[in-house]
Amino acid sequence: MKKKLNMFCALIFVVLVCDILLTLNVMFTGALSGYNTAKKMEDTERGSSYDYYTIALLPTELTDRNAKTIVDETTGKKHNVWPTQLIVPANGKADTTSKVFAVVEGVVSLTLGVTVLVSFFCFVRNVNRREIFTNKNTKHLRRIGWSMIATGIIVTANYCYDTYVAQRQFDLAGYIVDYSDSVYLDFILFGLFSLVMAEAFAIGLKMKEEQELTI
């Protein structure tokens, strides 16, 4: 039983680490790309560099009226496509609030991610020591839960705001803006599940204490 528990905990730990690494990769790749672009623009002739937003779209219909044409470079044939996500340039410079949101999201998400990893590691360590229904484990689970919920809310707020700004600056005929891609319910759901587990542990701890008092 302990081996299965450790295996599942290891898988969860790996997933959490991968999620944090992906977040860091996006942050550092964007920063490095911006640095390289600024450094090379004086030395070589390059296309214009844009501040941009990513916007998710839903076609109102799948007909020729709102289809976009692309060319297959291999065959040279033209195909109709209906894009569901676009990277669109901002009008002038990107909104200052968006930049602040992005920085705050990156720093806070990284901090909360480390908090989740440390709390989860401590929780698994306590379980392996047969310290299961304890106040420490309840606190670890609650810390994991609230950190995940906060991360989901912050990331959702950032992407929803970017989508809102992009919607005001960009309008594609035959398409509507899709906000569902901006909502990170997985983080919030995982956080709520951790809080439920925390309350279950709290109830188990209370029952254990009442049983000890009865004896």
Side-chain angles (χ1 to χ4, degrees):
M1 185 176 294
K2 182 181 288 188
K3 289 183 178 180
K4 288 184 178 180
L5 175 64
N6 288 333
M7 182 182 69
F8 290 138
C9 290
L11 289 174
I12 294 175
F13 188 82
V14 169
V15 171
L16 290 174
V17 170
C18 289
D19 185 66
I20 292 176
L21 290 177
L22 288 173
T23 302
L24 289 175
N25 179 61
V26 172
M27 292 173 58
F28 286 116
T29 299
L32 184 61
S33 177
Y35 172 78
N36 289 334
T37 299
K39 184 178 180 180
K40 294 179 180 179
M41 281 186 69
E42 297 180 357
D43 302 330
T44 60
E45 293 185 3
R46 300 170 58 91
S48 299
S49 179
Y50 294 95
D51 289 315
Y52 65 89
Y53 298 104
T54 301
I55 185 170
L57 301 171
L58 285 176
T60 55
E61 58 183 73
L62 296 177
T63 66
D64 293 338
R65 289 187 294 183
N66 62 343
K68 306 304 172 184
T69 303
I70 63 171
V71 179
D72 187 335
E73 293 184 357
T74 303
T75 63
K77 293 182 179 180
K78 295 182 178 180
H79 301 279
N80 286 340
V81 297
W82 294 265
T84 58
Q85 190 176 64
L86 292 177
I87 296 177
V88 299
N91 288 335
K93 294 184 177 180
D95 187 81
T96 303
T97 307
S98 297
K99 294 182 178 180
V100 172
F101 256 133
V103 173
V104 171
E105 178 210 338
V107 174
V108 175
S109 296
L110 179 60
T111 303
L112 293 175
V114 173
T115 301
V116 170
L117 287 178
V118 172
S119 299
F120 185 74
F121 175 80
C122 293
F123 172 78
V124 175
R125 182 193 60 187
N126 291 340
V127 171
N128 278 282
R129 291 177 178 177
R130 298 184 181 275
E131 300 173 3
I132 302 176
F133 295 107
T134 63
N135 284 320
K136 289 183 179 179
N137 281 345
T138 303
K139 290 179 180 179
H140 289 319
L141 287 172
R142 284 174 177 163
R143 194 176 292 119
I144 291 171
W146 287 117
S147 296
M148 293 298 294
I149 291 173
T151 301
I153 292 175
I154 291 171
V155 174
T156 297
N158 178 36
Y159 281 95
C160 281
Y161 182 78
D162 281 353
T163 301
Y164 168 73
V165 173
Q167 182 182 8
R168 295 176 59 189
Q169 299 181 0
F170 181 84
D171 185 24
L172 189 61
Y175 292 81
I176 59 175
V177 175
D178 180 20
Y179 277 85
S180 62
D181 282 357
S182 303
V183 181
Y184 282 70
L185 291 179
D186 292 345
F187 287 178
I188 298 175
L189 183 61
F190 185 84
L192 290 173
F193 178 76
S194 297
L195 292 180
V196 170
M197 290 296 296
E199 293 308 311
F201 270 66
I203 293 172
L205 177 61
K206 185 177 181 180
M207 292 176 63
K208 178 183 176 183
E209 293 174 348
E210 290 177 350
Q211 186 178 18
E212 290 176 350
L213 289 174
T214 302
I215 296 175

